[in-house]
Amino acid sequence: MKLRLALLAATSTALAGAANAAPVSANTTAQANIVSPNQVTATRSLEFGTIARPTSGTTTVTVASAAAGTATPSLSGGNGFIPTSGLAHAATFRITGTNGQTYSVTGNTLSFPGAGGNLTNINAEAPVAGSGALNTLPASGIDDLHVGGRFDITNTTAINTYSGTLSITVDFN
């Protein structure tokens, strides 16, 4: 019984001491990292310019993937020619993310749906990054991808203005 009373008295004293203790507090830091949403925006169209169809053979018309504001398509095969130089340029897609973010170009297609058989072997060229480092965004988190294209024409290609679509798909990591 004495042990029980001593234990009860000690517990009461400890509880009374805890009830009279001063409040304590602690601080830590808080952080929020706000980033730009991942985006891809077309800022310039792919332009091939004016091309004279060949009188013989097949001519491949190529606009290189480059940042240049104006260019002249390269021609190979056949005897097609460019009557006015400097009317072409690669398309530009602006990509936005975060500093150093990696990405992959998983789709890159060029099509001319109304061309029928007039334009053949239609393909997009591989993209080139404006920063020079394809697949990694620079410190600004913004870069331009420049994309060219190519197709073949022959002496039977219909005289026409052909309109198409260049599409790019970017996966951000």
Side-chain angles (χ1 to χ4, degrees):
M1 176 87 163
K2 280 185 177 184
L3 182 56
R4 226 187 260 169
L5 285 175
L7 191 53
L8 183 59
T11 304
S12 296
T13 304
L15 288 175
N20 294 331
V24 294
S25 63
N27 294 321
T28 188
T29 60
Q31 184 175 340
N33 186 22
I34 311 301
V35 298
S36 296
N38 294 334
Q39 295 180 343
V40 178
T41 308
T43 60
R44 184 174 71 180
S45 298
L46 173 58
E47 179 63 52
F48 285 92
T50 303
I51 302 118
R53 73 178 183 195
T55 56
S56 65
T58 298
T59 298
T60 300
V61 180
T62 303
V63 171
S65 296
T70 60
T72 300
S74 66
L75 303 180
S76 61
N79 62 355
F81 65 96
I82 305 296
T84 306
S85 61
L87 298 179
H89 53 74
T92 302
F93 294 91
R94 168 119 333 145
I95 57 175
T96 305
T98 59
N99 170 10
Q101 184 174 15
T102 60
Y103 63 90
S104 303
V105 177
T106 58
N108 183 16
T109 60
L110 174 62
S111 65
F112 289 92
N118 288 297
L119 305 178
T120 58
N121 296 321
I122 301 167
N123 288 295
E125 294 286 291
V128 172
S131 69
L134 187 63
N135 298 325
T136 302
L137 288 174
S140 65
I142 299 170
D143 204 358
D144 289 331
L145 295 181
H146 306 287
V147 183
R150 67 182 178 278
F151 56 80
D152 291 345
I153 57 175
T154 67
N155 64 337
T156 61
T157 299
I159 304 301
N160 198 356
T161 299
Y162 296 94
S163 295
T165 303
L166 176 63
S167 299
I168 191 166
T169 303
V170 177
D171 284 344
F172 290 91
N173 302 322

